[in-house]
Amino acid sequence: MATAQVSQNRVYLFRLQTLIIDGGTTVVRNIFDEKSANVQLNILLHNEKATINRLRASKTITRTQFDLLYPQSGQSPTSADFDITLSICLLRNLKCCGLNKHFAWNAIPQAGDTSLEADICRLRMFRNEIAHISSTTSITQNTFTHKWLEIEQVLNRLNTCVQNPVQNLQQQFNAYKNSPLDEEAEKRIDGEIKKWRKFEKGLESEVQLVKKDVQEVKHEVGNVKEDVHAVKEKVDNVKEDVHAVKEKVDNVKEDVHAVKEKVDNVKEEVHDVAEKVDAVQEKIDELENEKRAQGGSKKAVGKASNFIQRFFERRDRRREEKSNLALDHSIKYNCITVCRESLWFSF
């Protein structure tokens, strides 16, 4: 009795697999044919070659599926060769199919969402679920009844979203559910399940590699962040140094300005002294002329000459002192100017 029950439970599993693989493929392939009806399939695939190459590179499409799209024999491809996995993949990714590119394909759809995208997503999840259940070799009658109803509802909704639905679809579903088992069909379904498992196992390996790469990238990003922080600190230090240099330059400018003012004052004083010297010289010339005109004594002339000599000596000393003072200020000014230019050049 127990053996008979196990055998019956395996029948339930086989019938669910048939509903997904045969019924699901028929409905999804019909949707794809209608979405791509405006362009010949080979031309459409040529136009979408960049997208399909991307899917192939990411292993979303297998090598076998890629060869179905672009046969090496040179023959034109046909959607009749597409399984449910490939058909769903093309619907999701090709622009001509017009599905919502922002739909969350990896999330369970809301119960009230019966859009085309939501039902295709549900069908894909049913397919994955049945593939995993197959590893247990059987399911109970209650599970079978519940899953059959859910999958059948999704397939019927999908079939009504196209202008040319699959004819007699419900009769096909009833045959999958009640017809006697076909040994050849069971082998074919089992082969499809094995292909799904192999494909998913390959995806799991790819996911593990991707996770490893992500961890390495995170580590590298952490190192880069540390380097960036160190660079920021150096930049801040440089900014502080630049600010200090600017303050020093401003101080030098103030000193240069003060020296310029002093030099200007010295120039004014030198100019005043020169005017006074010229005035004294004129008075001396007048006195000499008067003495000569009056025929003054030699003694008076001698005194005048001594006075004149002492005056000119004092004048020469004062000129020399003023000249040395101006030269000293000029040298300081030139030194400050050279320092300022050096600072600006290094800055």
Side-chain angles (χ1 to χ4, degrees), residues 176-190:
Y176 299 151
K177 189 175 184 180
N178 301 309
S179 296
L181 297 183
D182 183 344
E183 185 176 353
E184 293 299 323
E186 187 173 2
K187 290 181 179 179
R188 177 176 58 82
I189 296 298
D190 187 58

Side-chain angles (χ1 to χ4, degrees), residues 28-36 41 82 90-91 97:
V28 174
R29 186 187 294 157
N30 185 58
I31 296 173
F32 175 76
D33 288 340
E34 184 168 300
K35 293 287 185 181
S36 60
L41 183 59
F82 301 168
L90 296 177
L91 281 172
C97 297

